Amino acid sequence: MKITSSAAALALVASAVAAPSPTTQDKPTKRQAGCASAVSLNAQTNVFKQYTLHANNFYRKEIEELAIPNLSDPSLEAAARKVADTGSFVWLDTIANVDRLEPALAEVPCNEILGVVVYDLPGRDCAAKASNGELKVGELNRYKTEFIDRIASILKAHPNTAVALVIEPDSLPNLVTNSDVQACRNSAAGYRDGVAYALKTLNLPNVVQYIDAGHGGWLGWDANLKPGAEELAKAYKAAGSPKQFRGIATNVAGWNAWDLSPGEFSSASDAKYNSCQNERTYVNTFGQRLKAAGMPNHAIVDTGRSGVQGLREEWGNWCNVDGAGFGRPPSADTGLELADAFVWVKPGGESDGTSDSSAVRYDSFCGKPDAFQPSPEAGAWHQEYFEMLLRNSNPSLL
């Protein structure tokens, strides 16, 4: 539900969250991985105070084998290697890409936690084209048995490794703001059932779970806060209120500032309808609504590409924003009790979607004036964009 014209435009946003390129394969490193005994995470605490987000080899290999050999400016190499050494999330965005999980788990030391995105609902990203998934509406059984059950089986085989999950980016937020989109209406039952099944099935001792909650420019609109919190809380309760559930992930693959004040869109004509002008305010404000709805309300915030502000024409412009830079590095030092950690969920350098208007998966958001052009298909390595993120990083990586 939106209440102004520009807010209504946001109802078409699903922040096309692209996963890593399917051509790159993980290989475990030759170092001690895992703990000597089973890990038991206490989801009543901030586990990022104890564990460092792991810099996974999938993203490292993209940088070392795709980015560094093709740098247009050799002086960027040191910064690129810093990014490779920075913790980030592994994306499981297809049934086939569950193959990434086992080798990723095999490389994680005992003092680190592996970040994993679970992202393959039937009818995925119902309000966008660039990141539509492989499963069709109605293929919920495949999602459960071939995707979630398989992930659970692999995690159970690695009880000595700590894991943080981000569950299904964009899914439930779409049901709140895009109920007028037929594809989202068709997907609604599968989203709700699938997310609840994922939360219940992946409720394992060595896992801490966060469910995607969009961002302050999405569910942060005053009219969206209460229905958004209730939608997420229903999924949590439908899963049986899992013990390992911690709260929400915000700004996944997004661009919003953590604490910019006044906010990026504070001077917009409809700013009075959105009190969440940065992610810090959103985590606090939405967190209160989640608590009232009966759901755990701590958060992790994706800061991977939010180093530069003032680039977008509207809140909802999500595709390869031109001029962006790597943002705050992963850290549990957020200065806010409800915010567990800054994390890099979206791997910087992987495209959000193609700018080729003739492509089947072309989304008009990737052709907007504030979107970097040309850009390849969602998930493909985007060399020019990666170099831009390095140059514009804030704090600087150079």
Side-chain angles (χ1 to χ4, degrees):
M1 179 171 60
K2 297 292 181 182
I3 45 185
T4 67
S5 58
S6 60
L10 183 62
L12 297 178
V13 173
S15 231
V17 215
S21 167
T23 60
T24 307
Q25 296 298 319
D26 261 342
K27 291 183 180 179
T29 56
K30 294 181 179 179
R31 60 173 172 168
Q32 182 64 40
C35 299
S37 59
V39 170
S40 182
L41 299 180
N42 181 358
Q44 300 301 310
T45 66
N46 179 6
V47 302
F48 287 94
K49 292 284 188 181
Q50 179 182 356
Y51 295 93
T52 300
L53 183 63
H54 179 63
N56 70 80
N57 279 350
F58 186 97
Y59 189 40
R60 181 185 301 279
K61 191 170 183 180
E62 286 188 309
I63 293 172
E64 291 180 348
E65 297 188 6
L66 298 178
I68 291 176
N70 295 296
L71 287 172
S72 63
D73 180 356
S75 70
L76 295 175
E77 180 174 346
R81 292 194 183 279
K82 289 179 184 178
V83 173
D85 289 335
T86 300
S88 59
F89 277 59
V90 174
W91 286 66
L92 309 183
D93 68 318
T94 64
I95 291 169
N97 285 342
V98 176
D99 287 345
R100 297 173 179 165
L101 184 55
E102 188 107 42
L105 287 163
E107 72 191 37
V108 183
C110 187
N111 63 338
E112 298 185 3
I113 188 167
L114 178 67
V116 177
V117 177
V118 177
Y119 182 53
D120 199 27
L121 278 172
R124 189 182 74 194
D125 275 4
C126 56
K129 296 179 180 179
S131 52
N132 289 161
E134 63 181 348
L135 298 178
K136 298 177 182 178
V137 173
E139 292 189 308
L140 185 61
N141 189 60
R142 288 194 66 198
Y143 175 79
K144 292 180 177 180
T145 60
E146 298 180 41
F147 187 64
I148 296 299
D149 287 355
R150 189 168 162 226
I151 293 172
S153 177
I154 295 171
L155 291 175
K156 288 176 182 177
H158 292 268
N160 295 10
T161 302
V163 179
L165 300 181
V166 169
I167 305 293
E168 294 296 349
D170 296 348
S171 59
L172 300 184
N174 265 314
L175 302 188
V176 177
T177 63
N178 291 313
S179 59
D180 58 333
V181 176
Q182 186 61 50
C184 292
R185 288 198 293 266
N186 295 344
S187 300
Y191 279 17
R192 291 175 176 130
D193 192 348
V195 169
Y197 185 83
L199 292 175
K200 182 177 181 179
T201 306
L202 302 175
N203 182 42
L204 303 170
N206 60 321
V207 169
V208 62
Q209 302 175 331
Y210 296 87
I211 192 173
D212 184 78
H215 52 73
W218 192 345
L219 295 187
W221 293 89
D222 297 347
N224 293 340
L225 290 167
K226 186 174 186 289
E230 291 175 347
E231 184 71 60
L232 270 61
K234 286 178 183 176
Y236 164 71
K237 294 172 183 177
S241 302
K243 180 181 178 182
Q244 300 304 114
F245 184 87
R246 177 69 174 167
I248 60 173
T250 82
N251 207 40
V252 170
W255 315 94
N256 289 354
W258 166 241
D259 58 0
L260 182 67
S261 183
E264 184 176 1
F265 295 99
S266 60
S267 62
S269 60
D270 57 358
K272 62 184 177 181
Y273 299 115
N274 186 327
S275 57
C276 299
Q277 289 288 321
N278 58 52
E279 291 303 286
R280 181 188 178 100
T281 302
Y282 178 56
V283 167
N284 259 335
T285 304
F286 194 57
Q288 295 171 12
R289 298 290 185 142
L290 291 171
K291 183 177 180 180
M295 184 184 118
N297 61 348
H298 285 79
I300 54 175
V301 181
D302 188 355
T303 55
R305 302 187 299 176
S306 60
V308 183
Q309 299 300 311
L311 303 172
R312 293 171 292 171
E313 294 181 341
E314 295 181 343
W315 274 114
N317 291 7
W318 51 261
C319 191
N320 299 319
V321 173
D322 197 8
F326 285 108
R328 295 170 183 252
S331 171
D333 185 15
T334 65
L336 182 67
E337 194 276 332
L338 280 183
D340 287 347
F342 303 131
V343 292
W344 285 10
V345 181
K346 168 75 177 185
E350 292 168 2
S351 179
D352 292 326
T354 180
S355 58
D356 179 2
S357 60
S358 67
V360 173
R361 290 164 65 89
Y362 172 74
D363 191 296
S364 62
F365 277 90
C366 298
K368 286 182 174 288
D370 54 12
F372 189 102
Q373 300 178 45
S375 290
E377 290 280 357
W381 187 254
H382 195 334
Q383 182 70 15
E384 295 83 0
Y385 202 85
F386 179 73
E387 294 186 22
M388 181 189 72
L389 291 173
L390 292 176
R391 292 190 183 96
N392 297 339
S393 56
N394 181 25
S396 178
L397 293 164
L398 302 177

